[in-house]
Structure formats: C-alpha cells, structure tokens
Amino acid sequence: MDHYGILSIVPPILAIVLALKTKNIIVSLFFGLYFGAIVLAGWNPVAAFANLIPDFIYAQVATDSNMQSITNLCIIGGFVALISASGGAAAFAKTAEK
C-alpha cells in the first residue's frame, strides 16, 4: 500500500481554498479531485484525466448508498425550487419577520 503522507491532504485543502476564492463549489471540488487523481497517476495529467471518470467518479456514483443519497438530494432540491418558485419562501420570510 502506498503512503502519500502530507501530499494526501493537499487535494481537500486545494478544493477548500478554491471554493472560498471562486465561490464555485462544483468546479473547486472537480479541481481537487483532479489533483488527487494526478498524484495517484504518478504525476501524469493525461492518465489522471483518463482514469478520473471511470475509476473515481463513476465508481462512487454507482454504489447503492450513494445513489440513494443523490436521489434524495435531487428530490429535496426539487421541492425547494418548487416552494421558491411559488413564493412560499418569501411568504415564510415575511411571516418570520413579524
């Protein structure tokens, strides 16, 4: 088993710093993931990009528990968007303001 030491905390720190700086969480997480894939691919960015989706992203999305979480988050997000579009969030804020 390979041990990467201090290098193993660089991808999450990179993702956090980029998220705070750019205010774009999805892109920041992707760059953190990509940097971690580069480290695991022996500093080969082409091989890291080729392995990124099948080995890291798809492998995690395909598991049952993660798929259930993603489905639940999509349903909750849909309800939040529906409530916001119908004016429910504004009405709640107006009521809470009193």
Side-chain angles (χ1 to χ4, degrees):
M1 177 169 216
D2 293 331
H3 296 283
Y4 293 97
I6 196 75
L7 197 58
S8 64
I9 64 167
V10 173
I13 289 175
L14 176 69
I16 292 169
V17 168
L18 282 174
L20 292 173
K21 205 168 253 317
T22 64
K23 306 289 189 247
N24 194 339
I25 297 170
I26 302 297
V27 173
S28 301
L29 287 173
F30 181 77
F31 277 116
L33 180 65
Y34 182 60
F35 183 78
I38 289 174
V39 171
L40 290 175
W43 300 101
N44 186 349
V46 176
F49 191 74
N51 294 334
L52 186 66
I53 292 176
D55 291 347
F56 302 114
I57 296 175
Y58 181 74
Q60 291 301 313
V61 171
T63 60
D64 289 337
S65 61
N66 288 342
M67 187 56 71
Q68 290 173 351
S69 298
I70 291 170
T71 304
N72 287 337
L73 288 173
C74 288
I75 291 170
I76 291 170
F79 280 128
V80 169
L82 180 68
I83 290 171
S84 295
S86 67
F92 178 75
K94 192 178 210 181
T95 303
E97 193 176 72
K98 294 177 185 178

